[in-house]
């Protein structure tokens, strides 16, 4: 089930235009650690890689770091930080974050 949340291993044409190869690799390695595909499963390391991509402004890194903070996966649950990451991801065009925010605004992210 975790695999479904790791957003995305394959770049789309718009990703290739906006995402540097280094950021794509960072997200890919984070997904590998999160699901244990090609690396020993380690959610803490996965968060480290997602946060590194987020710090470079990547929407997928922002979304995945926010998701892990929201549910407290490998890091202490921090809904206000998760909201920050989701808002930034939505602002940068991440469709999952854009859909998530209106639905969760008054329930889990406030």
């Amino acid at each position: 089930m975790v695999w479904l949340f790791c957003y995305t291993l394959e770049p789309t044409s718009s990703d290739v235009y906006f995402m540097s190869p280094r950021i794509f690799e960072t997200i890919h390695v984070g997904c590998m650690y999160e699901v244990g595909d090609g690396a020993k499963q380690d959610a803490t390391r996965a968060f480290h890689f997602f946060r590194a991509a987020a710090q470079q402004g990547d929407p997928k890194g922002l979304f995945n770091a926010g998701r892990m903070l929201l549910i407290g996966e490998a890091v202490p649950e921090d809904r206000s930080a998760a909201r920050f990451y989701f808002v930034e991801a939505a602002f940068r065009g991440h469709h999952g974050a854009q859909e998530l925010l209106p639905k969760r605004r008054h329930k889990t992210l406030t």
Side-chain angles (χ1 to χ4, degrees):
M1 179 134 166
V2 174
W3 179 258
L4 298 175
F5 290 111
C6 197
Y7 189 86
T8 178
L9 293 179
E10 295 298 324
T12 62
S13 58
S14 62
D15 293 333
V16 173
Y17 180 74
F18 291 109
M19 188 188 312
S20 76
R22 176 140 172 94
I23 294 174
F24 175 73
E25 291 170 6
T26 302
I27 294 168
H28 183 79
V29 171
C31 289
M32 289 173 61
Y33 276 117
E34 186 173 19
V35 300
D37 181 20
K40 184 176 180 185
Q41 191 170 9
D42 186 339
T44 303
R45 283 189 174 191
F47 180 76
H48 168 78
F49 283 98
F50 294 145
R51 187 179 58 192
Q55 289 172 340
Q56 296 180 46
D58 179 71
K60 292 174 184 155
L62 288 159
F63 181 80
N64 282 314
R67 176 182 49 77
M68 293 181 82
L69 285 163
L70 179 64
I71 62 176
E73 181 183 349
V75 292
E77 184 179 306
D78 187 342
R79 292 173 185 232
S80 63
R83 179 168 176 70
F84 170 79
Y85 280 111
F86 287 142
V87 168
E88 284 295 312
F91 178 74
R92 294 171 189 271
H94 190 280
H95 296 292
Q98 290 169 345
E99 292 176 8
L100 178 69
L101 286 173
K103 294 176 186 174
R104 303 251 184 193
R105 179 177 292 153
H106 302 294
K107 293 182 181 177
T108 61
L109 295 177
T110 56

